[in-house]
């Protein structure tokens, strides 16, 4: 435990003045306005209803999740151990702040979860890192862009301190893991920080033509969900159809265990549904329902931090495809087979159990839709 806390202390070393995210607005107004809508800006338990309730249920005293959810907090090690409790300070309300992300210089790999190694500028003036060529001067901070070969901001590496993997403390069970296909040079930034036209500063002194969005779009964005997978249908015989699910993402379909993603397939004849792949719950069709459910030593369903085993787990790896064959009633000319990709940020059953009020956690997002008309 002592070694773990010591490692946490390496994450943030607040020697210089803390620049809160709002202070960035003076020069980077567009980026700031994007950032405050992001999950990064809302990672703190004071702004994230789901995260707060999970902490209350699983870590009423300690708070190991603080490492990634309020990483710039003063006395972070004490908050992790429970010696201190989270408070409404600017550093904690900022969540994953602009300053914190732009001071990551290295990712230290570890068994339980990776660690961000950050640094601060000389003589108390902050040094910020990124992938911008010829960064502007500032009276608030210094800026540097490392050689592209060693710059983690050009690739997915900068994200891997918090978004790589997590194993729980109770039983060393893998709670979540992002498996990236490095052979295809998967880049988190390319998809989650798309390029927009214009400069990155209010006064575009460098006449830049584009900048990277800081909304950090993901599962809560309908357009991202629509691009996540590709569905296709094929008639194999008079009573057999084949559904293909192709993962278009640079990581697995399922990343976080609270998610639920699945395919709903129906056959309609003369305006009436004559067949469907499940009636009441998507878990009736395990082949197309992507989810992860944990259990304790007695087989009782529990939250990830207390998991001793896995009851249910279906996933699809990076860029992989999966084919599912259904035996259906005899098909007739004019029948319409329809498959729809459906995604929830939090499983509806879990959202109900936690009595979540935030709409984004209960929203049903529709992704790719494909249809096959029987000829």
């Amino acid at each position: 435990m002592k070694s773990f806390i010591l490692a946490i202390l390496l994450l943030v070393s607040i020697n210089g003045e803390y620049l809160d995210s709002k202070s960035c607005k003076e020069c980077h107004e567009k980026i700031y306005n994007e950032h405050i809508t992001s999950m990064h800006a809302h990672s703190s338990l004071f702004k994230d209803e789901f995260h707060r309730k999970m902490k209350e249920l699983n870590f009423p005293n300690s708070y190991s999740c603080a490492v990634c959810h309020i990483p710039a907090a003063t006395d972070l090690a004490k908050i992790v151990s429970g010696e201190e409790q989270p408070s409404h300070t600017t550093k904690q309300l900022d969540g994953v702040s602009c300053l914190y992300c732009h001071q990551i210089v290295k990712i230290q790999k570890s068994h339980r979860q990776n660690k961000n190694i950050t640094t601060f500028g000389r003589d108390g003036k902050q040094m910020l890192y990124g992938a911008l060529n010829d960064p502007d001067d500032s009276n608030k901070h210094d800026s540097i862009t490392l050689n592209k070969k060693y710059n983690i901001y050009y690739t997915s590496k900068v994200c891997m301190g918090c978004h790589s993997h997590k194993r729980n403390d109770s039983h060393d069970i893998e709670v979540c893991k992002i498996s990236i296909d490095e052979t295809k040079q998967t880049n988190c930034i390319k998809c989650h920080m798309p390029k927009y036209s214009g400069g990155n500063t209010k006064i575009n002194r460098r006449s830049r033509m584009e900048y990277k969005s800081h909304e950090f779009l993901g599962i809560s964005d309908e357009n991202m969900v629509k691009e996540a997978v590709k569905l296709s249908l094929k008639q194999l015989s008079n009573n057999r159809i084949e559904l293909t699910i192709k993962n278009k993402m640079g990581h697995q379909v399922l990343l976080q265990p609270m998610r639920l993603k699945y395919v709903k397939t129906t056959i309609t004849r003369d305006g009436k549904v004559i067949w469907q792949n499940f009636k009441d719950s998507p878990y009736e069709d395990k082949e197309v329902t992507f989810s992860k459910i944990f259990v304790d030593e007695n087989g009782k369903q529990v939250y990830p931090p207390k998991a001793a085993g896995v009851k249910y787990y279906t996933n699809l790896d990076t860029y992989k495809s999966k084919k599912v064959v259904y035996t259906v009633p005899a098909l007739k000319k004019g029948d319409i087979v329809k498959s729809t990709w459906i995604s929830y940020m939090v499983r509806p059953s879990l959202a109900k159990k936690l009595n979540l009020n935030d709409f984004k956690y209960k929203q049903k997002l529709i992704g790719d839709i494909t249809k096959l008309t029987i000829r």
Side-chain angles (χ1 to χ4, degrees):
M1 185 64 181
K2 289 183 178 179
S3 61
F4 176 72
I5 294 177
L6 181 60
I8 294 297
L9 291 172
L10 291 172
L11 294 176
V12 181
S13 174
I14 308 296
N15 294 320
E17 177 189 356
Y18 177 75
L19 302 176
D20 62 22
S21 295
K22 191 174 182 179
S23 68
C24 304
K25 183 179 180 180
E26 181 181 337
C27 296
H28 306 280
E29 187 172 23
K30 284 190 294 185
I31 288 177
Y32 170 75
N33 288 335
E34 292 168 354
H35 173 76
I36 59 175
T37 68
S38 72
M39 295 297 289
H40 278 186
H42 291 83
S43 65
S44 164
L45 57 85
F46 301 114
K47 296 182 179 180
D48 186 334
E49 179 191 18
F50 176 80
H51 182 59
R52 182 179 68 253
K53 291 187 175 182
M54 290 298 288
K55 181 204 179 303
E56 292 170 351
L57 288 167
N58 295 283
F59 307 105
N61 298 314
S62 61
Y63 186 29
S64 63
C65 299
V67 175
C68 285
H69 282 265
I70 51 171
T74 305
D75 296 327
L76 183 61
K78 291 182 178 181
I79 295 174
V80 169
S81 67
E83 186 178 343
E84 290 186 7
Q85 289 298 308
S87 58
H88 289 74
T89 64
T90 299
K91 293 175 183 176
Q92 295 185 37
L93 290 171
D94 261 0
V96 183
S97 66
C98 305
L99 178 68
Y100 182 81
C101 271
H102 283 280
Q103 291 193 317
I104 299 172
V105 293
K106 183 180 178 181
I107 306 303
Q108 180 178 316
K109 294 184 178 181
S110 181
H111 174 69
R112 286 279 170 84
Q113 66 183 93
N114 290 348
K115 301 175 179 67
N116 294 319
I117 306 301
T118 68
T119 187
F120 278 74
R122 55 193 177 278
D123 299 325
K125 191 177 182 182
Q126 311 291 1
M127 175 67 78
L128 303 190
Y129 299 84
L132 192 66
N133 291 324
D134 191 19
D136 292 39
D137 297 326
S138 171
N139 62 350
K140 290 188 175 183
H141 62 80
D142 291 327
S143 302
I144 187 170
T145 301
L146 300 175
N147 184 289
K148 190 170 184 178
K149 181 178 179 181
Y150 305 104
N151 194 332
I152 60 176
Y153 290 85
Y154 279 105
T155 67
S156 302
K157 290 182 180 179
V158 71
C159 309
M160 292 297 104
C162 289
H163 295 282
S164 171
H165 66 282
K166 169 72 175 176
R167 305 184 77 89
N168 67 14
D169 295 326
S170 58
H171 295 87
D172 198 33
I173 294 294
E174 186 176 87
V175 172
C176 57
K177 181 180 180 180
I178 298 181
S179 178
I180 292 177
D181 187 348
E182 295 184 359
T183 63
K184 295 183 179 295
Q185 296 182 325
T186 299
N187 192 328
C188 305
I189 294 170
K190 182 178 179 180
C191 289
H192 294 280
M193 297 180 69
K195 293 180 179 179
Y196 292 162
S197 60
N200 67 318
T201 54
K202 191 179 294 186
I203 301 175
N204 192 3
R205 290 182 295 175
R206 299 283 195 268
S207 299
R208 302 186 195 279
M209 301 299 292
E210 58 186 17
Y211 72 99
K212 292 184 176 69
S213 162
H214 283 63
E215 298 164 289
F216 304 105
L217 302 172
I219 191 172
S220 61
D221 181 76
E222 192 168 12
N223 290 326
M224 292 287 283
V225 172
K226 290 183 183 298
E227 293 297 321
V229 302
K230 176 67 177 176
L231 305 178
S232 57
L233 287 164
K234 180 180 180 181
Q235 182 180 1
L236 300 180
S237 67
N238 186 47
N239 68 336
R240 294 170 71 239
I241 57 173
E242 179 183 81
L243 167 68
T244 300
I245 308 170
K246 178 176 176 56
N247 180 10
K248 296 167 59 181
M249 297 178 286
H251 51 69
Q252 309 101 306
V253 162
L254 187 77
L255 299 182
Q256 301 290 346
M258 78 282 283
R259 316 285 195 226
L260 174 62
K261 305 177 182 183
Y262 61 90
V263 181
K264 176 69 174 181
T265 301
T266 60
I267 299 177
T268 303
R269 180 178 297 162
D270 299 326
K272 295 181 179 180
V273 175
I274 64 166
W275 179 89
Q276 53 190 334
N277 62 327
F278 64 85
K279 182 180 179 182
D280 299 314
S281 167
Y283 290 97
E284 295 170 24
D285 188 352
K286 294 179 172 59
E287 290 294 315
V288 299
T289 300
F290 303 91
S291 177
K292 193 170 189 177
I293 298 175
F294 298 95
V295 291
D296 62 14
E297 299 94 328
N298 301 314
K300 181 182 178 181
Q301 188 171 326
V302 292
Y303 297 115
K306 300 178 181 177
V310 179
K311 177 183 179 181
Y312 179 97
Y313 183 45
T314 301
N315 213 341
L316 185 59
D317 283 337
T318 308
Y319 303 126
K320 298 295 184 182
S321 295
K322 180 176 187 178
K323 296 181 184 295
V324 182
V325 176
Y326 294 106
T327 299
V328 300
L331 296 166
K332 294 183 179 181
K333 184 178 180 180
D335 287 350
I336 298 175
V337 187
K338 178 182 176 182
S339 290
T340 305
W341 180 256
I342 298 170
S343 178
Y344 285 94
M345 196 169 181
V346 175
R347 298 193 304 271
S349 59
L350 180 56
K352 183 178 180 180
K353 184 177 181 179
L354 295 174
N355 193 28
L356 297 178
N357 295 308
D358 192 327
F359 175 70
K360 70 174 176 285
Y361 291 129
K362 300 184 287 184
Q363 186 179 15
K364 178 181 180 179
L365 291 174
I366 304 300
D368 192 37
I369 299 174
T370 187
K371 294 182 180 180
L372 171 66
T373 301
I374 304 303
R375 305 297 181 185

